[in-house]
Amino acid sequence: NRFEGQTALALEIAAGAGTTSASRLPFPVGPAPEGAVWEVDWAPAVAAAWSGRGRPEDTAQAFHAGLAAAVVAVAERATCRHVALSGGCFQNALLLRLTRRALEDAGFVVLTARELPPNDGAISAGQALAALWRLTTVDLPAGAASASRPVR
């Protein structure tokens, strides 16, 4: 790769020439061994993509459709009906469109970035919001501003 996201961009472009069908690569969802609650297993989809069966464009389309279905599968296991689609992967217009449609068809309310970029550019805004809502704690060095003494 010559730049970050080059492979993902090539996959999105290839998918644009693929046929849209009910075909999708498998991304099974199951309990995570540690940390997160659910885990998406990429191995079956990657193996299917590398198998060389079918046109690469159709495989790229099926990859996107399978990943969108995996997002829905994880959301269905969650306890809320709102899903935020954020992160650099949702700069992929095809993945965003397929995932939004699949989630909305399943009855979810979908939230996406409007004022801030969906990638790393918004991480600091999210961190600031988490601190404001006291969803996290920050240990500051001695002499620095504290949570009880807001920075002005």
Side-chain angles (χ1 to χ4, degrees), residues 126-132 134-142 144-148:
Q127 292 168 332
L129 191 57
L132 178 66
R134 299 191 187 286
L135 298 176
T136 186
T137 58
V138 178
D139 294 325
L140 299 173
S146 70
S148 62

Side-chain angles (χ1 to χ4, degrees), residues 10-106:
L11 189 67
E12 178 183 8
I13 291 168
T19 57
T20 56
S21 67
S23 175
R24 58 183 180 224
L25 295 184
F27 287 87
V29 175
E34 52 184 83
V37 177
W38 302 106
E39 178 177 80
V40 176
D41 183 0
W42 289 64
V46 171
W50 280 106
S51 73
R53 294 187 200 113
R55 296 181 337 128
E57 298 86 353
D58 295 339
T59 301
Q61 178 73 21
F63 181 92
H64 284 79
L67 191 52
V71 172
V72 174
V74 170
E76 288 173 341
R77 289 164 171 80
T79 59
C80 64
R81 299 306 298 171
H82 291 75
V83 178
L85 302 179
S86 187
C89 63
F90 287 108
Q91 288 181 280
N92 177 324
L94 175 61
L95 182 61
L96 178 61
R97 186 175 71 247
L98 292 174
T99 305
R100 176 193 294 275
R101 183 181 313 136
L103 285 165
E104 288 174 346
D105 287 350

